[in-house]
Amino acid sequence: MVSRVIPVDNFDLVIFGGTGDLARRKILPGLYRRFVAGQIPDETRIIGAARSEHDDDDYRHFVQDAVCEFVASKKHDQEQINAFLKLFFYVKTDALGEEGWDKIASMMKPDVIRVFYFSVGPRLFSPIAERLHRFEIAQDDSRIVVEKPFGRDLETARALNQELASHFDEHQIFRIDHYLGKETVQNLMAVRFGNILFEPLWNSQYVDHIQITVAETVGVGGRGGYYDKSGAIRDMVQNHLMQLLCLIAMEPPSQFEHDAVRDEKLKVIRALDPVERDEIVRGQYGAGDDSSSYLEDSENPESTTESFIAMKVQVSNWRWKGTPIYLRTGKRLRARASEIAVVFKDPPHSIFGQQDGRRGNVLVIRLQPDEGMNLRVTIKEPGPGGMRLIEVPLDMSFAEALGEDGADFPDAYERLIMDVVRGNQTLFMRGDEVEAAWAWTDPIIEAWQERGDKPITYDTGSSGPDDALALLHRDGRRWREIK
């Protein structure tokens, strides 16, 4: 299967924080893969901007090292790498001062799209935005890309939106959430709205409940200082899991167009009920045989920040009223897995008897690893001896279903960067969407802070605190096994 590559026009890309970890691991390797795919013209100019002392050759060595480390070896073609490196330049830049800005301005080509990637901390967003305009680097069709965290509560998110809006229009601001760039997440929309099979069943009449799980085996590691100020709810629930929830629960947009899609996502967030105290479980991983505890990793022995959270969420609208959505995310769990499971109700009457006939269908969308979809259906077990029912999967792994080319689909970052160049905001968060998510999240955080709630310690390599199991057990349900 040969994928269709859509090239883009020439563009200038400035990566602020161009020597940082995100640039090294994601942005630069993603750009190389798109260059190899023929999507980035040879005339494109990519400028790394940071505080460190480098020249163009130093930066090209940095880019080459990043490509060699984070791009599959089968794509290591030295001729292509050399051609790719010719696109790169470096400017030492002071985000809070005056150094470098005149040079960046002089390097911009006329009549091409200008993209500015803010691969820096949020405190630098506003100063960089101000200087892009003061030095007349940004134009009316320029775009800026900003990374999370986009605020740490409603007040800071609103202030950040206002600061960026004083320099850029909303159509120029791309708030990136890499989860929305994943192929499987986009296929969720294709499955829902491109097939008549599922949409008539996609409601509270037929869906018993939905589970959204993002599990990690790693701890907070070197991010302990940052993570301890955020926790699982700010780091994962307010953005990544919220976006997945919106795509699962949203109404069909009138067309696949950025504001039409984001309008429907916003309606879901605004329809979320407040979460009660007994519908939330927070946890902290303890020490393992060969691993440190969260308290050790965060270097804060008194920390009450959660590394695990599970909650029961209700969407009060016509489609979903009465169907719970369970969210779960955590670190140092049994396995690395991200998935959405849509659990359908049992048939209203079993003609095969209670024991053999009560088997519900489950649609599982696997985001990572082994991206794909799995639909569990009930069939007769082969052989004589009566009607014995078993569950089997109708399984579609992208790697198997789409062949070698299908297994090599773009990384989330490279897809999203190309969308920025094209001006397509469908997979990016709008300002009012971010604020609505914080407006729902803030009362949850404030409530447990006022009560002084402490997270429950759970074993490294487990599925989280036992209380998270009870969250579903009391509803007569159970979590899907993390594996």
Coordinates of all heavy atoms in Angstrom, one line a residue, residues 2 48 90 208 289 324 353 379 387:
V2 N 0.7 2.1 -1.0 CA 1.5 3.3 -1.1 C 0.7 4.5 -0.5 O -0.4 4.8 -1.0 CB 1.9 3.6 -2.5 CG1 2.7 4.9 -2.6 CG2 2.7 2.4 -3.1
G48 N 17.4 27.1 14.4 CA 17.4 26.8 15.8 C 17.7 28.0 16.6 O 18.7 28.7 16.2
Y90 N 21.5 28.4 12.8 CA 21.4 28.6 14.2 C 21.6 30.1 14.6 O 22.5 30.8 14.0 CB 22.5 27.8 15.0 CG 22.3 27.9 16.5 CD1 21.4 27.2 17.2 CD2 23.2 28.8 17.2 CE1 21.3 27.3 18.6 CE2 23.0 28.9 18.6 CZ 22.1 28.2 19.3 OH 22.0 28.3 20.6
D208 N -22.7 0.5 27.6 CA -22.8 0.4 29.1 C -21.9 1.3 29.8 O -22.3 2.0 30.7 CB -22.4 -1.1 29.5 CG -22.5 -1.3 31.0 OD1 -23.6 -1.4 31.5 OD2 -21.4 -1.3 31.6
D289 N 11.5 -3.4 44.2 CA 12.7 -4.1 44.6 C 14.0 -3.3 44.0 O 15.0 -3.3 44.7 CB 12.7 -5.5 44.0 CG 11.6 -6.3 44.7 OD1 11.3 -6.0 45.8 OD2 11.2 -7.3 44.0
P324 N -21.5 6.0 32.3 CA -20.3 6.5 32.9 C -19.1 6.4 32.0 O -19.0 5.4 31.2 CB -20.1 5.7 34.2 CG -20.8 4.4 33.9 CD -22.0 4.8 32.9
G353 N -29.4 -19.1 27.4 CA -29.2 -19.4 28.8 C -28.4 -18.3 29.4 O -27.5 -17.7 28.7
I379 N -19.2 -15.8 19.5 CA -19.5 -16.9 18.5 C -19.7 -18.2 19.2 O -19.4 -18.3 20.4 CB -18.4 -17.0 17.5 CG1 -17.1 -17.5 18.1 CG2 -18.1 -15.6 16.8 CD1 -16.0 -18.0 17.1
M387 N -24.6 -25.7 22.2 CA -24.3 -24.3 21.9 C -23.5 -23.7 23.0 O -24.0 -23.2 24.0 CB -25.6 -23.5 21.7 CG -25.4 -22.1 21.3 SD -24.6 -21.9 19.7 CE -26.0 -22.3 18.6

